[in-house]
Amino acid sequence: MGINCALDGPSGAGKSTIAKTLAKRLGYVYVDTGAMYRAIGLYAVRAGADTSDKGRIVPLLENISVELCYVDGSQRVILNGEDVSDLIRTPEISMAASAISAIPEVRTFLLELQRSIARKNNIIMDGRDIGTVILPNADVKVFMTASAEERARRRYEELKEKGQDVNYDDILKDINQRDYNDSHRETAPLKKADDAVEIDTTNMSAEEVADRIEELIDSAIRKDFKVIPAWRRGFYSIIRFIASIPFYIAFSIKYDGLENVPDHGSVILAGNHQTWFDPILIAIKVKYISSYMAKAELFKIPILSQIISLVHGFPTRRSSNDVSSLTRAESFIRKGYNLTIFPEGTRSKDGKIGRAKSGVALVASRCGVPVYPVGISYKRPLRFRRRITVRFGKPLSPEELKIMSMSKTDLRMAGELIMERIGELVKDNG
Ligand code: DC
């Protein structure tokens, strides 16, 4: 299950503008549930049915199929195979949607569709009852409001811009009427969930509102993450310093991009892999303790296995999609550790950058944490006192990785981007 953000509020509060902005920024799927009610409203109007007559509307549902699809990142609403996205934005359909949405059977009809989209994706879902009924366990719940006059003014400007001939007073009347309908119906009325954060947007710009909600999403992602106590980090720093001495003696190690070294835990460090001591070369400069994915074969060697476990190494089977290893990685990140990972899954024999396995993108996406690329380079063969350069690159946020649905394609593309960034940090001669 991905991150679920529920965005509720009255008509014209700016929910869809904000939801679209956020979905684009974060790489989430935007789900406009109002469009689903509008599609059913359109069907009822076309059928010539009285939209407030439950006895007429309920039998129609049998003939209706509503789907959402995404074209170039924007949502399209499909009613019985027809793309009705543009036809549902008229005042007549707004009223019809408001009327049919009061019918419990209509709400039940759409409930499972809405929940199933939320189960599979990181989503921003806007509507009236998302935080109260559809996704009561949403990670973030926001209730957006604005005065009726301000909402009418915004809608007026929007429609004028589209070249429509509109009257402010009519729009205000419409908004008041819909507010009344939506909050006085018996089933799932418009109401703030107890645990929702209310944002009054009357005097806020869209950008400010989006920033505020992004902060809420960010802290929800991190809320379960712990921080490793200072004394343990202090002890670790001493061990790290002692462990680094033989390597500084054996090689001429140069660090680049130190401004990009993470200054907190719960991030992923992803590097290219050529020697057994790559994890140590990375750890020397990172203050926060890391966990490591290491090949399962190493855990068959008695003393080595104990040493690796002591430094928070855990086994991964390279041949299969090792779910238990991914779970361990996630659990370390949530406990405040970093994860150092070599996405190619094996050491490169010739120094060339290979392809990433899906693990790195999967963990980044499930934990919602950034990936810091690291490039390690040296001239081959690696001899005593040879120069080794370790370059830290700018972190890739989960948004930049665009892992929306955790589908194979998304994960592959995110993996490619990570390897590309690592590749840019690797230079043949170090
Ligand atoms: O958000 P909108 O204006 O497109 O919604 C159209 C109507 O659908 C609105 O008047 C109330 C109803 N609706 C609802 O009852 N529950 C939702 N989750 C979304 C919309």
Side-chain angles (χ1 to χ4, degrees):
M1 184 159 137
I3 303 291
N4 287 180
C5 174
L7 199 55
D8 290 305
S11 308
K15 298 186 299 290
S16 69
T17 311
I18 299 299
K20 275 184 212 158
T21 310
L22 278 171
K24 200 161 173 203
R25 271 196 208 173
L26 305 176
Y28 285 17
V29 174
Y30 163 48
V31 188
D32 170 7
T33 60
M36 299 175 177
Y37 288 95
R38 286 170 180 269
I40 297 180
L42 174 70
Y43 188 92
V45 168
R46 280 176 172 175
D50 173 356
T51 48
S52 59
D53 181 354
K54 182 177 156 177
R56 266 294 269 134
I57 302 296
V58 174
L60 296 182
L61 293 174
E62 272 182 36
N63 310 322
I64 297 179
S65 121
V66 178
E67 287 163 276
L68 294 185
C69 70
Y70 295 85
V71 178
D72 296 333
S74 70
Q75 179 190 266
R76 311 298 296 176
V77 194
I78 312 295
L79 171 66
N80 292 341
E82 177 191 355
D83 184 344
V84 295
S85 317
D86 301 322
L87 300 174
I88 55 173
R89 300 288 161 199
T90 64
E92 185 192 12
I93 302 304
S94 298
M95 277 303 170
S98 182
I100 57 99
S101 69
I103 302 171
E105 286 81 352
V106 171
R107 306 201 73 81
T108 313
F109 179 77
L110 292 177
L111 181 127
E112 195 36 46
L113 172 62
Q114 293 166 358
R115 283 192 183 157
S116 75
I117 300 174
R119 265 196 296 275
K120 290 185 219 132
N121 305 287
N122 289 334
I123 54 128
I124 315 267
M125 186 178 281
D126 84 4
R128 305 291 187 288
D129 61 339
I130 311 305
T132 49
V133 177
I134 307 294
L135 306 174
N137 297 320
D139 304 278
V140 175
K141 294 183 188 178
V142 174
F143 193 78
M144 269 176 70
T145 57
S147 67
E149 290 72 21
E150 172 64 13
R151 288 184 280 134
R153 192 192 62 75
R154 289 179 193 165
R155 182 64 36 107
Y156 174 78
E157 300 289 342
E158 185 189 325
L159 295 175
K160 273 291 277 275
E161 216 158 87
K162 283 187 188 158
Q164 293 188 25
D165 183 20
V166 282
N167 175 296
Y168 172 84
D169 291 332
D170 288 347
I171 294 178
L172 181 60
K173 213 170 104 208
D174 246 41
I175 281 194
N176 281 325
Q177 179 65 50
R178 282 215 284 155
D179 278 1
Y180 184 86
N181 289 354
D182 297 346
S183 46
H184 284 81
R185 65 180 179 224
E186 253 169 49
T187 317
L190 167 67
K191 141 166 151 317
K192 175 181 163 300
D194 293 337
D195 51 350
V197 175
E198 182 161 349
I199 304 180
D200 183 343
T201 68
T202 309
N203 297 311
M204 286 172 89
S205 70
E207 209 61 15
E208 284 169 337
V209 180
D211 287 349
R212 173 85 185 97
I213 301 177
E214 192 177 341
E215 274 169 31
L216 294 173
I217 296 177
D218 208 46
S219 58
I221 290 173
R222 298 195 155 267
K223 100 173 175 301
D224 301 331
F225 290 10
K226 299 194 171 54
V227 176
I228 297 173
W231 69 267
R232 283 200 59 200
R233 280 185 275 131
F235 182 65
Y236 169 79
S237 296
I238 298 169
I239 305 275
R240 197 165 49 110
F241 174 72
I242 296 169
S244 70
I245 295 171
F247 294 93
Y248 274 117
I249 293 171
F251 305 106
S252 152
I253 310 175
K254 181 174 164 249
Y255 283 95
D256 252 6
L258 288 176
E259 69 281 7
N260 297 321
V261 173
D263 59 1
H264 56 82
S266 296
V267 305
I268 298 176
L269 292 142
N272 59 319
H273 197 15
Q274 301 170 90
T275 74
W276 63 269
F277 53 88
D278 288 332
I280 301 171
L281 292 173
I282 296 177
I284 286 175
K285 286 293 171 195
V286 186
K287 281 199 206 110
Y288 277 71
I289 310 178
S290 194
S291 58
Y292 301 90
M293 255 190 204
K295 59 181 174 187
E297 291 86 326
L298 297 178
F299 288 80
K300 293 194 184 118
I301 309 167
I303 293 177
L304 186 61
S305 117
Q306 272 132 8
I307 294 174
I308 302 175
S309 302
L310 206 66
V311 295
H312 310 105
F314 55 92
T316 183
R317 286 186 303 273
R318 290 178 296 170
S319 51
S320 59
N321 199 351
D322 189 345
V323 179
S324 75
S325 164
L326 295 176
T327 313
R328 292 282 298 275
E330 270 190 66
S331 126
F332 269 115
I333 289 179
R334 290 183 195 284
K335 282 189 213 148
Y337 291 84
N338 290 330
L339 170 71
T340 300
I341 191 169
F342 299 97
E344 298 151 284
T346 186
R347 275 191 250 166
S348 165
K349 304 247 165 7
D350 53 9
K352 290 211 177 83
I353 305 289
R355 289 171 145 225
K357 299 211 178 300
S358 60
V360 62
L362 202 55
V363 179
S365 157
R366 288 173 61 132
C367 298
V369 295
V371 177
Y372 285 69
V374 188
I376 301 174
S377 35
Y378 54 80
K379 204 164 173 181
R380 291 163 168 272
L382 190 54
R383 296 212 181 94
F384 185 65
R385 292 303 302 155
R386 185 142 274 181
R387 157 70 58 88
I388 300 180
T389 306
V390 183
R391 289 193 183 83
F392 288 88
K394 287 206 180 336
L396 280 157
S397 64
E399 296 82 65
E400 282 169 279
L401 291 170
K402 293 201 175 62
I403 314 167
M404 277 164 72
S405 64
M406 299 187 205
S407 67
K408 272 197 179 147
T409 316
D410 280 350
L411 295 175
R412 184 176 46 75
M413 283 170 56
E416 277 171 15
L417 183 59
I418 293 167
M419 293 319 296
E420 193 184 304
R421 290 294 169 86
I422 295 174
E424 286 163 10
L425 301 167
V426 174
K427 310 232 166 74
D428 280 351
N429 57 7

Coordinates of all heavy atoms in Angstrom, one line a residue, residues 8 11 15 32-35 37-38 89 94 97-98 101 107 114 126-130 155 178 182 185, ligand 1:
D8 N -10.5 16.7 1.5 CA -12.0 16.9 1.5 C -12.3 18.4 1.7 O -11.4 19.2 2.1 CB -12.7 16.2 2.6 CG -12.7 14.7 2.4 OD1 -13.1 14.2 1.3 OD2 -12.2 13.9 3.2
S11 N -17.5 22.5 -2.3 CA -17.3 22.8 -3.7 C -16.5 24.1 -3.9 O -16.8 25.1 -3.2 CB -18.6 23.0 -4.4 OG -19.4 21.9 -4.2
K15 N -9.7 22.3 -4.2 CA -9.2 21.0 -3.9 C -8.5 20.4 -5.2 O -7.4 20.0 -5.1 CB -10.2 20.0 -3.5 CG -10.9 20.4 -2.2 CD -11.9 19.3 -1.7 CE -13.0 19.0 -2.7 NZ -14.0 20.0 -2.9
D32 N -9.8 12.2 -8.7 CA -10.9 13.2 -8.5 C -12.2 12.4 -8.4 O -12.8 12.0 -9.4 CB -10.8 14.1 -9.8 CG -12.0 15.0 -9.9 OD1 -12.8 15.1 -8.9 OD2 -12.1 15.7 -10.9
T33 N -12.6 12.2 -7.2 CA -13.8 11.4 -7.0 C -15.1 12.1 -7.4 O -16.1 11.5 -7.8 CB -14.0 10.9 -5.5 OG1 -14.1 12.1 -4.7 CG2 -12.9 10.1 -5.1
G34 N -15.1 13.5 -7.4 CA -16.2 14.3 -7.8 C -16.6 13.9 -9.3 O -17.7 13.9 -9.7
A35 N -15.5 13.7 -10.1 CA -15.7 13.4 -11.5 C -16.5 12.1 -11.7 O -17.3 11.9 -12.6 CB -14.3 13.3 -12.2
Y37 N -18.9 11.0 -9.6 CA -20.3 11.4 -9.3 C -20.8 12.1 -10.5 O -22.0 12.0 -10.9 CB -20.4 12.2 -8.0 CG -20.2 11.3 -6.8 CD1 -18.9 11.3 -6.2 CD2 -21.2 10.6 -6.3 CE1 -18.7 10.4 -5.1 CE2 -21.0 9.7 -5.2 CZ -19.8 9.7 -4.6 OH -19.6 8.9 -3.5
R38 N -20.0 13.0 -11.1 CA -20.5 13.8 -12.2 C -20.8 12.9 -13.4 O -21.8 13.1 -14.1 CB -19.4 14.8 -12.6 CG -19.3 15.9 -11.7 CD -18.1 16.8 -11.9 NE -18.0 17.9 -11.0 CZ -18.5 19.1 -11.2 NH1 -19.2 19.4 -12.4 NH2 -18.4 20.1 -10.3
R89 N -18.4 19.1 -16.8 CA -18.0 20.3 -16.1 C -19.1 21.5 -16.2 O -18.7 22.6 -16.1 CB -16.7 20.8 -16.6 CG -15.5 19.8 -16.3 CD -15.2 19.7 -14.9 NE -14.5 18.4 -14.6 CZ -14.4 17.9 -13.4 NH1 -14.9 18.5 -12.3 NH2 -13.7 16.8 -13.2
S94 N -23.1 19.7 -12.5 CA -22.7 19.9 -11.1 C -23.9 19.6 -10.1 O -23.7 18.9 -9.1 CB -22.2 21.3 -10.8 OG -21.1 21.6 -11.6
A97 N -24.9 15.9 -10.1 CA -23.9 15.1 -9.3 C -24.2 15.3 -7.8 O -24.2 14.3 -7.1 CB -22.5 15.6 -9.6
S98 N -24.5 16.6 -7.4 CA -24.8 16.8 -6.0 C -26.0 16.1 -5.6 O -26.1 15.5 -4.5 CB -24.9 18.3 -5.8 OG -25.2 18.6 -4.5
S101 N -25.4 12.2 -5.6 CA -24.5 11.8 -4.6 C -25.1 11.6 -3.2 O -24.5 11.0 -2.3 CB -23.3 12.7 -4.5 OG -23.7 14.0 -3.9
R107 N -23.3 5.9 -3.7 CA -22.0 6.0 -2.9 C -21.4 4.6 -2.8 O -20.2 4.5 -2.9 CB -22.3 6.7 -1.5 CG -23.0 8.0 -1.6 CD -22.7 8.8 -0.4 NE -21.4 9.4 -0.4 CZ -21.0 10.4 -1.0 NH1 -21.8 11.1 -1.7 NH2 -19.7 10.8 -0.9
Q114 N -13.0 3.5 -5.6 CA -12.1 4.5 -5.0 C -11.1 3.8 -4.1 O -9.9 4.1 -4.1 CB -12.9 5.5 -4.2 CG -13.8 6.3 -5.2 CD -14.9 7.1 -4.5 OE1 -15.1 7.0 -3.2 NE2 -15.7 7.9 -5.2
D126 N -9.3 13.6 -3.9 CA -10.2 14.7 -3.4 C -11.7 14.3 -3.5 O -12.1 13.5 -4.3 CB -9.8 16.0 -4.0 CG -10.5 16.3 -5.3 OD1 -11.3 15.5 -5.8 OD2 -10.2 17.3 -5.9
G127 N -12.4 14.9 -2.5 CA -13.9 14.6 -2.5 C -14.5 15.2 -1.3 O -14.2 16.3 -0.9
R128 N -15.5 14.5 -0.7 CA -16.3 15.1 0.4 C -16.2 14.2 1.6 O -16.3 14.6 2.8 CB -17.8 15.2 0.1 CG -18.1 16.0 -1.2 CD -17.7 17.5 -1.0 NE -18.2 18.4 -2.1 CZ -17.6 18.4 -3.3 NH1 -16.5 17.7 -3.5 NH2 -18.1 19.2 -4.2
D129 N -16.0 12.8 1.3 CA -16.1 11.9 2.4 C -14.8 11.0 2.4 O -14.9 9.8 2.9 CB -17.3 11.0 2.2 CG -17.3 10.2 0.9 OD1 -16.5 10.7 0.0 OD2 -17.9 9.2 0.8
I130 N -13.7 11.5 1.8 CA -12.6 10.6 1.7 C -12.0 10.3 3.1 O -11.7 9.1 3.4 CB -11.5 11.2 0.8 CG1 -12.2 11.7 -0.6 CG2 -10.4 10.2 0.5 CD1 -12.9 10.7 -1.3
R155 N -14.3 30.6 -8.8 CA -15.0 29.8 -9.8 C -15.4 30.8 -11.0 O -15.2 30.5 -12.1 CB -16.2 29.2 -9.2 CG -17.1 28.3 -10.0 CD -16.7 27.0 -10.6 NE -15.7 26.1 -10.0 CZ -16.0 25.0 -9.4 NH1 -17.2 24.5 -9.4 NH2 -15.0 24.2 -8.9
R178 N -25.2 23.9 -3.2 CA -24.5 22.6 -3.2 C -23.9 22.4 -1.8 O -23.9 21.3 -1.3 CB -23.4 22.6 -4.3 CG -23.9 22.4 -5.6 CD -23.0 21.5 -6.5 NE -21.9 22.3 -7.0 CZ -20.7 21.8 -7.3 NH1 -20.4 20.6 -7.1 NH2 -19.7 22.6 -7.8
D182 N -24.7 19.0 0.1 CA -23.6 18.1 0.4 C -23.4 17.9 1.9 O -23.0 16.8 2.3 CB -22.3 18.6 -0.2 CG -22.3 18.6 -1.7 OD1 -23.2 18.0 -2.3 OD2 -21.4 19.3 -2.3
R185 N -27.1 15.9 3.6 CA -27.6 14.6 3.2 C -27.3 13.6 4.3 O -26.4 13.8 5.1 CB -26.9 14.1 1.9 CG -25.4 13.9 2.0 CD -24.8 13.5 0.7 NE -23.4 13.3 0.9 CZ -22.5 13.7 0.0 NH1 -22.8 14.3 -1.1 NH2 -21.2 13.5 0.3
Ligands
DC1 O1 -15.9 18.0 -6.4 P1 -17.0 18.1 -7.4 O2 -17.6 19.5 -7.4 O3 -16.5 17.7 -8.8 O4 -18.2 17.1 -7.0 C1 -19.4 17.0 -7.6 C2 -20.5 16.6 -6.6 O5 -20.2 15.3 -6.2 C3 -20.5 17.4 -5.3 O6 -21.6 18.3 -5.3 C4 -20.7 16.4 -4.2 C5 -20.4 15.1 -4.9 N1 -19.3 14.4 -4.3 C6 -19.5 13.6 -3.2 O7 -20.6 13.6 -2.7 N2 -18.5 12.9 -2.6 C7 -17.3 12.9 -3.2 N3 -16.3 12.2 -2.6 C8 -17.0 13.7 -4.3 C9 -18.1 14.5 -4.8

